[in-house]
Amino acid sequence: MMTMIPKFNPWIKMDRLSQRRVDAATSHNLFWIIDSKGNYGLKIQTDGAFSKETHMIKLKSIHLIKDETQVDQAAFFLILQNLHEWEIFYTLCEDLIKVVLNYPNSSKMIEAVEQRLKRWQQLLQYDKTSSFTIERQMGLFAELCCFVEVIIPKVGVRQALISWNGPEADKQDFLLDDSVLEVKSYRTSKGDAVSISSLKQLYSEKESIYLATFALTASENGQSIEELVNKIRFLIIEQGSSADLELFEAKLISYGYAPELIKEELNSFIVDKQRLFYVAEEFPKITPKDVSDAIILATYSIDLARCEKFEISLDTFLK
């Protein structure tokens, strides 16, 4: 799947202080607008009222304005202050338009729009210069697989979400009550070996340490990150709360997964092999206890073919 910022510019032939209706089949009124200074904008007009929380949403380079002076009608404006950012702004507007189309009811539409704006508040703080490489994609894909297939069956959706530390590189991927779980992905074509990038990845003061490994092959016939994300969103909606969903979205963005802004091609993956290991004292590893205090960084690889005696089944995980 290729996610690209669109090149179409709906404001390009508009005059200042003008508006043009968005070609969208909805009971709400949507307009592309240009203000007196030549700034691009989107106007959402409805018969409901936007909440006070809207004033608390801050979007980089974008002003949010409410106009509730007319009886039984409210207008909400998004005004872009930096025309160099118009492509991202257009992506935001298109996203909001899709939300509006899904909610003919004004109050529910307004609530949904405000939730999307909160997500965009996080997105626009994200460092868009960093690249979402295939290695980062594989890492996130493996952690999401582990989230669904290993953690949720044992502790439930909400605890799985709370325990996920994947975006925080200095911690194990899942921090549970008495255990930690590190997740590693690797290319099947390169053999059964995983790279450990820190002295602390297989070290913890907690009672048990586990290592989950995923051998992956990039393939159009595989599963995508988007599919896994949607599956987890559904589980959170079904079993959790709106706060849980917001936390999940925030962690995805911290990881670098912001589909609205990613320009790289996103791969789909086939899981060729999934394994779970108990990291016992004699498990092959290098920890802070094994080296001098003067050594603060070490990376090494583990041959999984020589770790069979440490492999466990999902049934015995956390027991």
Side-chain angles (χ1 to χ4, degrees), residues 246-291:
E246 286 182 24
L247 177 59
F248 180 58
E249 300 289 356
K251 289 191 175 187
L252 287 174
I253 292 168
S254 298
Y255 204 108
Y257 181 70
E260 296 88 344
L261 304 179
I262 293 173
K263 295 182 180 180
E264 293 86 6
E265 182 175 358
L266 295 182
N267 293 270
S268 294
F269 300 98
I270 293 174
V271 179
D272 297 303
K273 189 184 297 184
Q274 175 180 335
R275 303 172 74 181
L276 190 60
F277 299 89
Y278 177 66
V279 182
E281 215 29 66
E282 61 272 23
F283 187 89
K285 61 186 182 298
I286 303 174
T287 72
K289 296 191 302 182
D290 305 318
V291 299

Side-chain angles (χ1 to χ4, degrees), residues 31-303:
F31 300 93
W32 303 116
I33 64 171
I34 292 187
D35 69 6
S36 60
K37 297 179 181 179
N39 295 319
Y40 295 167
L42 176 70
K43 175 183 177 182
I44 302 174
Q45 195 171 42
T46 184
D47 57 5
F50 284 83
S51 72
K52 294 180 180 179
E53 285 189 12
T54 310
H55 284 304
M56 301 174 65
I57 301 173
K58 305 296 181 183
L59 300 178
K60 183 181 177 182
S61 300
I62 300 170
H63 281 181
L64 306 182
I65 304 170
K66 291 195 302 181
D67 180 5
E68 297 174 347
T69 58
Q70 298 184 47
V71 179
D72 297 328
Q73 195 172 71
F76 183 67
F77 300 85
L78 291 89
I79 307 295
L80 178 66
Q81 301 300 301
N82 183 356
L83 291 184
H84 294 295
E85 298 284 341
W86 77 266
E87 291 178 313
I88 293 175
F89 181 62
Y90 176 67
T91 304
L92 183 161
C93 292
E94 285 285 278
D95 188 40
L96 293 182
I97 290 167
K98 290 177 183 176
V99 171
V100 172
L101 287 171
N102 287 331
Y103 294 91
N105 178 277
S106 294
S107 61
K108 290 184 178 179
M109 181 275 288
I110 290 170
E111 183 180 349
V113 165
E114 289 172 343
Q115 287 300 316
R116 290 305 290 175
L117 287 173
K118 289 178 183 178
R119 172 170 164 75
W120 274 98
Q121 180 176 252
Q122 297 172 324
L123 286 175
L124 294 176
Q125 294 171 351
Y126 169 64
D127 181 9
K128 298 181 285 296
T129 62
S130 61
S131 177
F132 201 57
T133 63
I134 189 169
E135 286 75 22
R136 291 182 73 187
Q137 293 178 45
M138 289 173 62
L140 177 56
F141 181 88
E143 289 182 34
L144 293 176
C145 281
C146 193
F147 194 111
V148 172
E149 299 172 14
V150 179
I151 306 298
I152 288 179
K154 291 294 184 178
V155 300
V157 172
R158 191 167 195 282
Q159 191 58 43
L161 176 61
I162 293 170
S163 70
W164 185 33
N165 289 320
E168 302 180 52
D170 60 335
K171 298 180 180 178
Q172 284 91 4
D173 297 310
F174 290 93
L175 184 62
L176 301 158
D177 289 344
D178 300 312
S179 310
V180 296
L181 172 67
E182 180 67 22
V183 182
K184 289 295 178 182
S185 63
Y186 62 96
R187 299 175 193 248
T188 302
S189 59
K190 293 190 175 182
D192 287 343
V194 294
S195 296
I196 307 299
S197 56
S198 165
L199 291 171
K200 295 183 178 180
Q201 280 192 330
L202 298 182
Y203 174 80
S204 175
E205 297 294 337
K206 287 187 175 287
E207 184 177 319
S208 303
I209 305 172
Y210 297 92
L211 172 66
T213 64
F214 293 81
L216 305 178
T217 298
S219 170
E220 292 182 356
N221 298 320
Q223 192 173 24
S224 68
I225 291 174
E226 182 180 16
E227 289 171 326
L228 283 172
V229 166
N230 286 337
K231 181 183 292 187
I232 295 172
R233 282 187 184 129
F234 177 79
L235 291 171
I236 293 174
I237 291 170
E238 189 179 51
Q239 303 176 33
S241 65
S242 58
D244 293 335
L245 189 58
E246 286 182 24
L247 177 59
F248 180 58
E249 300 289 356
K251 289 191 175 187
L252 287 174
I253 292 168
S254 298
Y255 204 108
Y257 181 70
E260 296 88 344
L261 304 179
I262 293 173
K263 295 182 180 180
E264 293 86 6
E265 182 175 358
L266 295 182
N267 293 270
S268 294
F269 300 98
I270 293 174
V271 179
D272 297 303
K273 189 184 297 184
Q274 175 180 335
R275 303 172 74 181
L276 190 60
F277 299 89
Y278 177 66
V279 182
E281 215 29 66
E282 61 272 23
F283 187 89
K285 61 186 182 298
I286 303 174
T287 72
K289 296 191 302 182
D290 305 318
V291 299
S292 165
D293 292 341
I295 298 175
I296 58 174
L297 179 65
T299 60
Y300 57 99
S301 295
I302 297 175
D303 183 355

